[in-house]
Amino acid sequence: MGDNNWVALEEEDGKTYLVELVDKTHKIKGIGVINPHEMLNHLQLGDSIQLGHKSFVRLPIGLPELSKSMVRRAQTISAKDAGMIIAKMGIGSGYSVLEAGLGSGGLSLHIANVIGENGIHLTVEPREEHSNVGLENLRRASECLSEFPKHHHINGNIEDVVDQIKSIKSDFDSIILDLPQHKSAIDSVAGLLKTGGRLCCYCPVTSQVESSWEACEENGLTVEWAGELIERPWGRASRGGIRPVNGPFGHTAFLLVATKK
């Protein structure tokens, strides 16, 4: 592991690109037609380079660079929600995490970064066109992070693949569900939680929070927290000083966390 085969380049406007140092001339979206190995392999951290009409600086590769440069298809769970999920669930080094709704892998990058090489991360995704993107982002992370968990992936609806999940791991410290409907998923996997383990539901609308809450209680789980996290960025004002930037408050989804006691 490590980032020897990859380079993170940041443009002047803050846009970040993750470039694999292959010895082949090809087009890289946003950068141009280059041979990455010939053009970038010599760059040291902090070095600048002009490519076409754009100027870039090489950065070390960490979670922010992986997140900002990730390939996207499905909408991703934001850093503010990922941080809240990890904190509320107490996810840490060596944890076993079952994540249903891989999507583009935004939350998966945060999980992999936290649980480290002794952790187990099992992802489930019913839509192969989404999982292909999410798995590519996880492949990049596995080659760039200094530690990466044991990762397994299953394509399918989580309700239909419980036996496959059990064949890999019979119980989990954490289960995270980012799905259109949560009740049937909770009914299927609540029994896979270890005592003291936690389950989280990522819910775009309030009706999903209510149905998730009821399903958790029906399965013997205790709801510890439910709510939302609002993000309000600030920036420089044109006449000096700083102030909240124009735009809506950063609501993304509602979260529910329940525990098995």
Side-chain angles (χ1 to χ4, degrees):
M1 297 182 192
D3 60 4
N4 291 336
N5 296 319
W6 296 84
V7 167
L9 298 178
E10 185 180 72
E11 205 175 337
E12 291 177 333
D13 63 0
K15 189 170 184 180
T16 303
Y17 302 85
L18 192 65
V19 182
E20 191 169 10
L21 295 176
V22 294
D23 191 8
K24 180 180 70 173
T25 300
H26 65 288
K27 184 176 182 180
I28 301 173
K29 186 176 181 181
I31 295 179
V33 179
I34 65 170
N35 182 311
H37 186 270
E38 291 181 359
M39 297 291 293
L40 306 176
N41 191 47
H42 67 283
L43 289 180
Q44 301 298 310
L45 295 178
D47 284 354
S48 297
I49 187 170
Q50 191 78 22
L51 298 173
H53 300 293
K54 296 181 178 181
S55 179
F56 302 88
V57 61
R58 181 180 178 181
L59 300 177
I61 302 175
L63 178 60
E65 289 71 37
L66 288 168
S67 295
K68 288 193 288 186
S69 65
M70 64 186 289
V71 184
R72 296 175 186 270
R73 182 180 175 93
Q75 182 176 350
T76 61
I77 292 179
S78 67
K80 76 175 180 68
D81 290 325
M84 174 68 89
I85 290 169
I86 288 170
K88 286 289 187 183
M89 300 186 78
I91 297 173
S93 177
Y95 264 51
S96 55
V97 180
L98 170 61
E99 180 190 2
L102 169 64
S104 296
L107 176 60
S108 297
L109 296 179
H110 288 79
I111 292 171
N113 188 58
V114 168
I115 65 177
E117 63 185 3
N118 293 320
I120 296 175
H121 185 201
L122 197 160
T123 55
V124 179
E125 171 60 56
R127 297 153 297 184
E128 193 169 352
E129 67 274 18
H130 288 174
S131 64
N132 288 339
V133 175
L135 292 174
E136 170 60 18
N137 287 317
L138 285 173
R139 180 187 76 86
R140 295 177 171 200
S142 71
E143 296 180 6
C144 293
L145 295 176
S146 59
E147 291 189 19
F148 193 80
K150 300 175 185 66
H151 177 253
H152 307 269
H153 178 75
I154 300 172
N155 280 322
N157 293 307
I158 192 166
E159 298 91 340
D160 302 326
V161 298
V162 174
D163 287 341
Q164 287 178 256
I165 293 170
K166 289 180 178 178
S167 70
I168 297 169
K169 184 122 181 37
S170 60
D171 55 8
F172 293 85
D173 298 301
S174 306
I175 297 176
I176 301 169
L177 305 175
D178 176 14
L179 303 167
Q181 301 295 330
H182 293 88
K183 177 175 169 43
S184 59
I186 294 169
D187 292 341
S188 299
V189 300
L192 300 182
L193 268 182
K194 296 179 181 178
T195 299
R198 289 177 172 83
L199 179 146
C200 176
C201 296
Y202 183 86
C203 305
V205 297
T206 55
S207 60
Q208 291 180 342
V209 180
E210 183 176 12
S211 64
S212 297
W213 192 311
E214 293 172 351
C216 284
E217 291 184 334
E218 290 170 2
N219 284 276
L221 306 181
T222 301
V223 175
E224 288 187 326
W225 188 88
E228 62 180 324
L229 189 66
I230 297 294
E231 185 175 35
R232 190 185 191 191
W234 285 47
R236 288 188 177 275
S238 59
R239 297 183 180 180
I242 60 172
R243 64 181 300 278
V245 300
N246 294 327
F249 283 102
H251 167 78
T252 47
F254 303 97
L255 304 175
L256 179 145
V257 178
T259 185
K260 181 178 181 179
K261 296 182 178 179

